Amino acid sequence: MSNRALYLRSAEDLRRNERQWQAYETTGSCVLLAGPGSGKTKTLTVKLARMLSEDVDEPRGIACITYNNECARELETRLDALGISPSGRVFIGTVHSFSLTQILFPYAKLAGVGLPDEFTVATRQQSRAALERAHAKVIKGPENPQTWDFRMGVYRRRFLVREQSDFDTADPQLARLVTAYEAELRAKGLVDFDDMPLLAVRALATNPWLRKALVAKYPILAVDEYQDLGRALHGMVMGLCFSAGMRLFAVGDVDQSIYGFTGAHPELLRRLSERMDVETVRLGLNYRCGSKIVAASEYALGEERGYCAPDDAHEGTIYFQPCTGSYAGQARHLIEQLIPEIRERRPDLDLGEIAVLYPAAFIGDEVANAAADAGYSVTRTDANALYPRSSQLLRWLEQCAMWCCGGWRSGDPRLSRVIGEGSRLFHEVLTDDAARLEFQRALTAALWSRRNDNLALDAWLTALRAEIVAPHVVGARSLNDDLGLLDDLIARLGPEGDVEDLSLGEFAGIGTGLNRINLSTLHSAKGREFDVVILVGMEEGRLPRNNPSANDLREARRLFYVGFTRARHEVHLLYGKNIPSRFVTEVQERLANEAE
């Protein structure tokens, strides 16, 4: 079946929803305001396929920017099902990846942003060392220099263009530290994570020819999760789409903006949606959650949005679970009592459809310990996970593992996709057809000889590192930190490590469940969905924290709302017996009043 036939068939499903179809039919810049479970990812991917087929002539293409690598992977998977893979015509990645690969690597020298010709991306160790040297020059105190890292990041993101701003005067000491830190990086030929979008915005602002070059390559820009991407991306959009003529298709939800600490500003999406030169479409149906959960989610949010479930939706159930004792007590209650009750009530439910969500990773430690004592396996996606989900290299190795553990037989994933993703990962090294062909041959041989679920992960990773990663990572300027993360994982799995070695099959299942209870912070759960969601630590002083500002309170409520709306069938709210969160109390009281 042709790519066109695939997306046209999928588009027929959108006809059933008037507003999804309206978004699909737009011909100019569009903002799609999409609440939880509203089908926004399907609408976005089918729309992308249509625009690429009907609106953009080869060799021009489409760039799609999203918040994190997990979101990018989801879009890639959906587009792959429509016959579209990332290529020279299709960019799918984070704003940092877009800034680095599409602006800074090819144009930094010409754009005059003060980078050396062969700059590289700093590892975490290099960034820490640069901050230590800058701290010694500017602050000169006995404290740990790393305590300044968060404040410094916030300050850097606040001032996209420092000339003609109050960068130097708003906080003179912090401004001097930022300047010294960035000078330390540049002296070593380095940029860090925050540098990427900041330098890209400056390059675009001062070089009209660069904006024209990007529009020539990508006449359409799609942005997913717009509310989470902050001022740097908004600056890019304003310059590329409303000055240089790039067409915009933006998707987001102000109510799901939960990354204020990284510089997200939900009012930017609201402001964009109110422009006269964009068409704004709001999706109103929630296909994910039961009807009772949809209604209660507006109580959780504290505002009416008019969302509703389809007429044939199941009802869903909300449980309030007061617990005595500490977080360890809450963890034991959910593992020893709640999980068995759920499994008895729903015997066919896979454990991978249960998620335990919490405001802080240390609560996840308590749940993980209780689960281990009871013999349950877990998958963690928080700061204390086995490895960070942000690593592109490790995510690609997961795909390789999935191919070795049955994908070679089922075609999920296809070998061509695994090779394609690897080729993009090492694109700086694979500069000609001969190099790409040799990479394809070496990777195919390495994976084909290791098609065994029961292989020790330690040995598998060590072999792939030696045969594939090491020969290609040299010269890949953006992968130094990822290589360090891989080495850390191998060390943890080794004889002297702190983690019992996993099988290759277990590694292949990380991120997909495999009958394991999912443990995640509320922030990391965004964009995901489960049959049963258990929210732990839902108490005053934790969510929200004590003495919150008005802005902190709004974001804490949005975080509660995001966790609440991950559930299809059941939401369980666990909290200290005498200190439930004001959000829990409000939902409980509103539901009680509704029942009277």
Side-chain angles (χ1 to χ4, degrees):
M1 185 178 295
S2 69
N3 293 352
R4 181 177 174 82
L6 285 170
Y7 83 76
L8 287 176
R9 186 173 65 178
S10 294
E12 287 303 308
D13 293 335
L14 302 184
R15 284 185 183 272
R16 304 168 192 168
N17 183 309
E18 180 182 354
R19 294 181 184 177
Q20 287 182 343
W21 186 254
Q22 180 185 350
Y24 176 74
E25 288 279 84
T26 55
T27 56
S29 289
C30 175
V31 173
L32 182 64
L33 299 177
S38 60
K40 64 99 173 175
T41 304
K42 179 170 186 176
T43 306
L44 172 59
T45 50
V46 176
K47 179 66 173 177
L48 285 172
R50 180 181 190 177
M51 292 189 295
L52 190 67
S53 175
E54 300 179 17
D55 300 339
V56 181
D57 294 329
E58 294 190 43
R60 306 175 81 194
I62 292 177
C64 182
I65 295 175
T66 190
Y67 178 73
N68 58 31
N69 288 319
E70 288 298 298
C71 295
R73 171 61 60 83
E74 173 67 14
L75 287 176
E76 287 175 1
T77 300
R78 298 281 192 102
L79 285 169
D80 188 61
L82 297 177
I84 297 171
S85 300
S87 64
R89 290 192 70 208
V90 183
F91 171 88
I92 302 172
T94 65
V95 65
H96 295 84
S97 177
F98 182 80
S99 299
L100 188 66
T101 65
Q102 306 300 310
I103 299 175
L104 297 181
F105 277 164
Y107 300 119
K109 184 176 181 180
L110 292 174
V113 291
L115 294 178
D117 291 351
E118 295 300 323
F119 72 91
T120 58
V121 178
T123 65
R124 297 174 197 193
Q125 183 177 0
Q126 289 171 323
S127 294
R128 287 193 293 269
L131 178 53
E132 289 173 3
R133 293 191 297 271
H135 183 275
K137 292 177 180 178
V138 176
I139 308 300
K140 303 177 182 178
E143 65 193 334
N144 180 355
Q146 304 310 317
T147 61
W148 287 79
D149 184 59
F150 179 78
R151 282 180 289 166
M152 187 175 68
V154 172
Y155 201 74
R156 294 172 75 195
R157 291 187 292 269
R158 177 179 168 187
F159 297 97
L160 299 184
V161 179
R162 292 173 187 173
E163 300 78 12
Q164 300 175 342
S165 73
D166 57 352
F167 170 75
D168 291 321
T169 57
D171 188 326
Q173 185 182 49
L174 203 48
R176 290 195 300 272
L177 181 64
V178 167
T179 301
Y181 168 73
E182 292 177 350
E184 293 293 337
L185 288 179
R186 302 298 180 268
K188 300 288 186 180
L190 300 171
V191 298
D192 73 353
F193 192 71
D194 279 336
D195 272 322
M196 298 174 194
L198 299 180
L199 291 172
V201 168
R202 292 176 205 164
L204 289 170
T206 55
N207 295 280
W209 62 265
L210 179 53
R211 297 195 293 271
K212 292 179 181 178
L214 286 174
V215 173
K217 184 175 183 180
Y218 299 120
I220 297 177
L221 173 66
V223 182
D224 189 22
E225 305 290 358
Y226 196 100
Q227 75 283 348
D228 290 328
L229 291 158
R231 295 192 187 280
L233 176 80
H234 190 67
M236 287 187 199
V237 168
M238 291 300 104
L240 291 172
C241 298
F242 301 108
S243 294
M246 192 179 280
R247 177 177 161 191
L248 175 68
F249 191 85
V251 182
D253 180 12
V254 171
D255 295 330
Q256 295 187 74
S257 180
I258 57 174
Y259 295 104
F261 61 93
T262 67
H265 295 277
E267 73 273 8
L268 298 177
L269 174 60
R270 185 181 293 109
R271 196 181 307 162
L272 180 65
S273 70
E274 293 170 352
R275 288 181 63 102
M276 298 299 294
D277 50 357
V278 302
E279 182 175 352
T280 297
V281 180
R282 180 182 292 275
L283 301 183
L285 285 177
N286 182 330
Y287 294 99
R288 174 191 302 152
C289 306
S291 57
K292 188 173 182 179
I293 297 173
V294 173
S297 71
E298 295 202 337
Y299 307 154
L301 183 61
E303 297 185 50
E304 292 187 9
R305 291 289 184 257
Y307 294 129
C308 58
D311 293 339
D312 58 351
H314 58 276
E315 184 177 57
T317 311
I318 301 161
Y319 298 87
F320 296 89
Q321 307 274 0
C323 299
T324 57
S326 62
Y327 290 127
Q330 291 188 36
R332 287 193 300 272
H333 173 77
L334 81 88
I335 292 295
E336 296 172 4
Q337 298 183 48
L338 193 52
I339 297 292
E341 288 173 6
I342 293 169
R343 300 189 79 184
E344 182 177 355
R345 185 167 61 250
R346 303 186 61 190
D348 296 331
L349 184 69
D350 191 291
L351 286 176
E353 287 296 341
I354 300 174
V356 180
L357 311 182
Y358 33 82
F362 79 88
I363 301 176
D365 294 340
E366 301 289 359
V367 179
N369 292 336
D373 291 343
Y376 289 114
S377 296
V378 302
T379 295
R380 294 189 70 167
T381 52
D382 60 25
N384 294 337
L386 185 60
Y387 57 88
R389 302 291 297 164
S390 58
S391 169
Q392 295 185 68
L393 177 60
L394 286 168
R395 285 173 57 247
W396 175 67
L397 288 171
E398 279 183 21
Q399 291 286 302
C400 294
M402 290 172 65
W403 189 86
C404 289
C405 295
W408 62 274
R409 185 186 296 112
S410 67
D412 184 20
R414 299 192 310 271
L415 180 60
S416 60
R417 182 178 176 190
V418 175
I419 292 170
E421 289 196 21
S423 298
R424 287 189 297 280
L425 195 64
F426 301 111
H427 71 278
E428 290 183 84
V429 180
L430 305 177
T431 56
D432 55 46
D433 290 343
R436 287 187 286 272
L437 185 61
E438 174 57 25
F439 172 78
Q440 177 178 334
R441 185 204 63 76
L443 179 61
T444 302
L447 299 183
W448 185 259
S449 64
R450 296 179 175 88
R451 293 167 295 132
N452 185 339
D453 301 25
N454 297 315
L455 287 176
L457 179 57
D458 178 22
W460 186 87
L461 287 173
T462 300
L464 265 290
R465 187 196 187 284
E467 296 175 26
I468 303 300
V469 176
H472 297 98
V473 79
V474 177
R477 293 180 284 173
S478 61
L479 292 178
N480 290 335
D481 200 47
D482 282 46
L483 181 62
L485 293 171
L486 173 58
D487 288 341
D488 289 345
L489 175 58
I490 292 173
R492 293 189 67 186
L493 294 166
E496 306 300 322
D498 63 329
V499 177
E500 183 178 349
D501 194 11
L502 304 173
S503 70
L504 183 61
E506 290 177 294
F507 178 67
I510 289 176
T512 58
L514 282 189
N515 206 31
R516 304 174 187 165
I517 302 170
N518 295 279
L519 308 187
S520 173
T521 57
L522 288 163
H523 285 97
S524 296
K526 188 168 176 293
R528 305 175 71 189
E529 59 183 75
F530 308 92
D531 262 26
V532 177
V533 167
I534 304 169
L535 300 176
V536 183
M538 297 295 104
E539 51 223 10
E540 204 70 12
R542 179 58 58 187
L543 192 75
R545 297 191 177 189
N546 289 322
N547 303 314
S549 67
N551 190 59
D552 290 341
L553 185 60
R554 283 192 294 270
E555 182 149 324
R557 184 181 282 279
R558 292 196 295 264
L559 189 59
F560 179 65
Y561 171 73
V562 165
F564 201 94
T565 53
R566 299 309 92 197
R568 287 189 285 263
H569 291 275
E570 296 183 16
V571 179
H572 298 258
L573 302 170
L574 272 66
Y575 48 90
K577 194 168 187 179
N578 299 317
I579 49 171
S581 165
R582 67 188 74 182
F583 309 144
V584 172
T585 300
E586 185 172 343
V587 171
Q588 191 169 26
E589 290 177 349
R590 294 283 296 273
L591 288 174
N593 292 337
E594 188 180 272
E596 290 178 358

